[in-house]
Amino acid sequence: MNSRPCNVLVTGANGFLGVALVDRLLARGEKGVRCLVRAGSDRRRLDAMLTRHPGADVEIVGGSLSSTEAAAKLIEGAPLILHLAASLSGPPADMFLGTVVASKHLLDAIAACPHKPKVVLISSFGVYGVADAPKGHVLDETTPVEAHPERRDHYSHTKHRQEQLFFDCRAKHGLEFCVLRPGVIYGPGGGAFSSRVGIALPGMFLFLGGKNLLPLSYVDNCAEAICIAAERARFDGDAYNVVDDNLITCDDYLRRYQSEVGPIRVVRSPYFATMLLSRAVEWYHGHSRGQLPPIFTPYKTRTMWKGNRFSNAKLRALGFSPIVSTEQGLRRTFEYLREKKKAG
């Protein structure tokens, strides 16, 4: 790594949230921004964003967290790390490698680093254990983390394990970090539907969310929350939920999508029907010795679609306020999705 001054390192800077975060940092006047971009990845969105900030003090570094040595070079001289890099999908082994192992390399490099940078870790609502919470439970930072991550989806499992690594490193090496747990990050450039709303199947959309609240976090708001935490968090392992105000229901989201983007064939599965289906899938998975993957299980169904409420009070106490309203965010998102659909 060269001797160029660095005030903040952003891992995963080329991702959906990463591009928005770098944009927000530069809009706030941040200098010395070092961006880790996976070698060989498509940089068009990042490069397009950077054209809006001519002369910005940004360093783009191609590489990965594939080893402790590689991580050590990346963090050299960086007093603050905003750690977004993670695998969002793919085979379980690849997700574990891209999220957990990569974070282990980063933490090992930090433990051996003389200047001990602070870290903002971007995690997920998926680490919370709400399967046994009552319907309508308010999910806030006092909600226990998942006791059975192996019974969840692979993404939630890897994020849970990633958080454990950070808390272990704090206990062993005094790591100064905080963790942000976003809900559903959405916006132009992102996907159309969260699994909290439902699942896209060939020729149809299986709607599962019903009238449950959808914990939306517009991508620019999530980026702003990270900036606020970087400035004001205690860095003692404190956690903050990232979710917008004025949330809508899954039913409202689907209705607006069909009205503003275009019609889709929808099959609605009420909660009781989804529970029956998940019990059948779990039984057949065991009976067939794994021939049918346990896509639905009662545990997953209770976690995802039973219905929770969500609080951002702790983040607001830190000074966060959404910079884009939910109405604005939805309108921008549906406009993007409509144009994308027209383009084929």
Side-chain angles (χ1 to χ4, degrees):
M1 189 65 62
N2 61 40
S3 57
R4 185 172 177 175
C6 173
N7 291 324
V8 56
L9 165 65
V10 181
T11 73
N14 202 34
F16 176 50
L17 176 59
V19 172
L21 175 58
V22 176
D23 188 20
R24 193 68 197 139
L25 287 168
L26 298 179
R28 293 166 65 93
E30 187 64 67
K31 306 294 184 183
V33 180
R34 180 181 296 163
C35 300
L36 172 60
V37 174
R38 190 174 66 253
S41 60
D42 186 348
R43 278 182 42 179
R44 284 178 293 181
R45 289 186 65 248
L46 179 61
D47 290 339
M49 180 275 295
L50 290 175
T51 63
R52 300 197 297 269
H53 301 277
D57 186 7
V58 178
E59 178 185 12
I60 307 296
V61 180
S64 69
L65 300 172
S66 58
S67 69
T68 302
E69 293 73 24
K73 292 179 181 179
L74 288 167
I75 70 173
E76 185 178 311
L80 174 67
I81 300 170
L82 309 179
H83 184 41
L84 282 65
S87 293
L88 304 181
S89 61
D94 290 350
M95 294 183 68
F96 190 86
L97 185 67
T99 300
V100 181
V101 176
S103 293
K104 179 67 164 58
H105 293 154
L106 177 66
L107 291 171
D108 286 346
I110 291 172
C113 182
H115 68 273
K116 296 291 188 298
K118 295 180 179 180
V119 184
V120 179
L121 170 65
I122 311 308
S123 184
S124 166
F125 267 18
V127 302
Y128 286 116
V130 294
D132 297 323
K135 180 179 174 62
H137 168 79
V138 177
L139 193 155
D140 61 17
E141 295 80 1
T142 66
T143 300
V145 296
E146 182 62 77
H148 302 287
E150 74 284 353
R151 299 173 69 179
R152 296 283 296 279
D153 59 276
H154 299 311
Y155 176 74
S156 297
H157 193 178
T158 57
K159 296 303 285 187
H160 183 277
R161 180 65 185 126
Q162 182 189 46
E163 279 201 22
Q164 284 185 322
L165 288 178
F166 274 78
F167 283 104
D168 289 347
C169 188
R170 174 167 175 79
K172 293 177 182 177
H173 303 290
L175 173 71
E176 294 184 85
F177 87 102
C178 68
V179 55
L180 269 61
R181 296 167 177 158
V184 176
I185 304 174
Y186 79 109
F193 291 103
S194 160
S195 58
R196 288 179 178 271
V197 179
I199 300 173
L201 299 173
M204 58 170 280
F205 183 78
L206 182 60
F207 178 60
L208 302 166
K211 296 188 180 299
N212 295 336
L213 282 178
L214 185 59
L216 295 171
S217 176
Y218 189 71
V219 64
D220 291 349
N221 293 339
C222 192
E224 173 71 1
I226 297 169
C227 294
I228 293 292
E231 293 176 353
R232 304 174 188 175
R234 298 191 304 269
F235 288 92
D236 60 358
D238 44 334
Y240 301 90
N241 286 349
V242 183
V243 66
D244 290 345
D245 300 333
N246 303 314
L247 299 177
I248 64 172
T249 66
C250 294
D251 194 54
D252 287 337
Y253 183 94
L254 177 63
R255 175 183 52 78
R256 287 197 56 169
Y257 177 92
Q258 292 186 295
S259 171
E260 299 178 39
V261 180
I264 56 175
R265 184 177 175 230
V266 176
V267 175
R268 295 174 177 266
S269 178
Y271 180 72
F272 76 89
T274 307
M275 280 297 292
L276 290 174
L277 175 61
S278 64
R279 290 191 182 107
V281 169
E282 186 174 60
W283 174 85
Y284 189 76
H285 171 73
H287 184 72
S288 66
R289 299 183 181 180
Q291 291 183 26
L292 178 67
I295 300 172
F296 294 107
T297 67
Y299 193 87
K300 292 179 182 179
T301 296
R302 294 200 308 273
T303 296
M304 290 293 292
W305 301 298
K306 182 166 53 177
N308 298 121
R309 292 180 291 154
F310 309 94
S311 172
N312 64 2
K314 188 175 179 182
L315 184 64
R316 275 195 163 277
L318 206 62
F320 168 77
S321 181
I323 58 176
V324 177
S325 70
T326 298
E327 178 57 35
Q328 289 174 319
L330 290 168
R331 191 164 57 245
R332 293 176 188 178
T333 301
F334 292 141
E335 181 180 356
Y336 161 80
L337 292 171
R338 183 171 61 250
E339 293 305 313
K340 182 180 178 182
K341 190 173 184 178
K342 286 180 182 177

